[in-house]
Amino acid sequence: MAMKGDSEVKIASHQELIIKTNKKSIWFRIWQHRVFYLFLLPGIIWFFIFAYIPMYGITIAFKDFNFVKGILGSPWAGLKYFEQFFNYYQAGEIIRNTLIISLMKLLIGFPMPIILALMLNEVRVTKFKRTVQTISYLPHFISWVVVVTLLQRMLTPYGGPVNELLSTLGFDKIQFLGNINYFYQVIIASDIWKGIGWGAIIYLAAISGVDPQLYEAAKIDGANRFRQIWHVTLPSIRGVMVLLFILACGGIMSAGYEQLLLLNTPATAKIGTVLDVYVIQAGLEQGRFSYATAVGLFQGIIGLILIITANQVSKKVNDTSLW
């Protein structure tokens, strides 16, 4: 019994020593690579100032905010503004519009960068590949204000090149913008055009890390290029695809306020008014800051629930997750 007790004490002390050594080694490694960790400092400071400190403003959603009294001096209102939103006769329509547009962007737009990356990966002419890649990701840096202006010039029935081409081919001119029948098509197409090249960069980087020996083995087994893509490339980048899809799920309640704010018109308001636009209108145009904050908080909570749910499902199904 004494020997058993001594062995247990030795094991416990050994485990404590390992834990202490690991803790020391972690801090030692951080100190050893302190110069590299300094590169993280600007990003940490930025997030702390612009992302974490402003979160205190969430309390406005639970108060009758008054400019004179400020956030601290304003009286508490509880869930008053959440009840106002859910009792609003257009609340269901706004939520439905947000979900429809976001899901369309996710289901149609998410695979597009993957397809472009796979196509570019098959191009063997380096100069052509780089040219296409550069042209495809440049729209990412263009403001939505500029993009919408270009769309207005191109799609207008009064001298726009698209309608002039339709007229030349014998078709009637179409009022694309401000038309409820073409609203979704314009929204989805412009969103894909703006983001497809930038998203493809991530997948091209993942594809470049695929072991070339896997392709050689596939060739020996008689696989053609399509089979190599299906059985080698796609499985190899599945982890990246899943992680980006999980992150995209967190934005389902956010359809993109800049694009919708600029492209939405009174004629398309029935299907184009989303939560992002409604928060801007309620907060900045109507001055209902507590109400707008409550709606935005509801939007953020649902997004957080969605990303956590998608992460847990992915962890169980694919063993791939954010944490």
Side-chain angles (χ1 to χ4, degrees):
M1 293 293 293
M3 292 179 64
K4 185 177 180 181
D6 293 340
S7 61
E8 289 178 353
V9 171
K10 288 181 180 179
I11 292 172
S13 61
H14 183 65
Q15 290 176 345
E16 291 178 1
L17 181 61
I18 292 174
I19 294 171
K20 290 180 180 179
T21 304
N22 288 336
K23 288 182 179 179
K24 290 181 179 179
S25 62
I26 291 172
W27 290 109
F28 177 76
R29 287 198 298 269
I30 292 174
W31 175 254
Q32 191 177 21
H33 301 96
R34 59 189 179 278
V35 176
F36 299 103
Y37 281 98
L38 284 175
F39 286 100
L40 293 174
L41 195 58
I44 294 172
I45 294 173
W46 187 93
F47 273 102
F48 182 74
I49 295 175
F50 296 103
Y52 288 97
I53 293 179
M55 288 180 70
Y56 175 73
I58 292 174
T59 55
I60 296 176
F62 305 96
K63 290 192 171 188
D64 285 317
F65 178 68
N66 187 295
F67 267 114
V68 177
K69 297 180 180 179
I71 297 178
L72 293 175
S74 299
W76 290 97
L79 301 176
K80 169 185 173 181
Y81 295 105
F82 293 93
E83 294 176 359
Q84 283 187 11
F85 173 67
F86 290 119
N87 292 330
Y88 180 51
Y89 75 100
Q90 285 187 320
E93 181 180 284
I94 293 171
I95 294 173
R96 185 186 68 245
N97 293 341
T98 305
L99 290 174
I100 290 173
I101 294 175
S102 296
L103 288 173
M104 289 177 67
K105 286 183 176 181
L106 181 63
L107 297 177
I108 300 174
F110 183 79
M112 293 302 172
I114 302 173
I115 295 172
L116 177 61
L118 293 173
M119 293 172 64
L120 288 174
N121 188 57
E122 296 302 312
V123 175
R124 295 294 174 259
V125 182
T126 305
K127 184 176 289 188
F128 176 77
K129 178 180 179 179
R130 289 178 178 174
T131 302
V132 173
Q133 188 175 351
T134 302
I135 293 173
S136 65
Y137 75 67
L138 279 178
H140 173 78
F141 301 98
I142 301 176
S143 168
W144 271 114
V145 176
V146 178
V147 173
V148 172
T149 303
L150 289 173
L151 288 174
Q152 291 172 345
R153 298 293 184 270
M154 294 180 65
L155 300 178
T156 177
Y158 309 107
V162 175
N163 275 294
E164 289 298 320
L165 178 61
L166 292 175
S167 179
T168 303
L169 297 174
F171 298 99
D172 294 331
K173 292 184 178 181
I174 300 173
Q175 178 69 45
F176 289 101
L177 299 179
N179 190 333
I180 200 169
N181 296 320
Y182 294 96
F183 182 75
Y184 287 144
Q185 291 89 324
V186 172
I187 290 294
I188 302 303
S190 59
D191 184 73
I192 291 173
W193 176 77
K194 195 173 187 301
I196 186 172
W198 186 255
I201 293 176
I202 300 174
Y203 294 108
L204 281 170
I207 291 172
S208 65
V210 179
D211 190 352
Q213 293 182 359
L214 296 176
Y215 292 108
E216 295 297 331
K219 287 180 183 178
I220 294 173
D221 291 337
N224 55 25
R225 293 303 303 175
F226 178 78
R227 290 288 184 181
Q228 291 175 38
I229 292 172
W230 187 259
H231 293 289
V232 177
T233 308
L234 286 176
S236 298
I237 64 172
R238 183 180 61 182
V240 176
M241 293 164 56
V242 171
L243 291 178
L244 292 179
F245 183 80
I246 293 172
L247 293 173
C249 287
I252 286 179
M253 292 300 288
S254 178
Y257 83 93
E258 288 179 311
Q259 182 191 24
L260 273 300
L261 186 67
L262 295 168
L263 286 174
N264 195 23
T265 63
T268 59
K270 184 174 179 61
I271 63 171
T273 302
V274 296
L275 283 169
D276 303 279
V277 176
Y278 185 65
V279 168
I280 295 294
Q281 292 174 343
L284 297 183
E285 295 181 10
Q286 301 173 15
R288 303 167 65 189
F289 295 105
S290 296
Y291 179 75
T293 305
V295 178
L297 180 58
F298 159 74
Q299 182 182 8
I301 291 173
I302 298 299
L304 178 62
I305 293 172
L306 288 172
I307 196 171
I308 292 174
T309 304
N311 186 73
Q312 292 301 114
V313 172
S314 175
K315 183 185 292 186
K316 291 182 179 179
V317 175
N318 296 317
D319 292 329
T320 303
S321 62
L322 293 173
W323 60 84

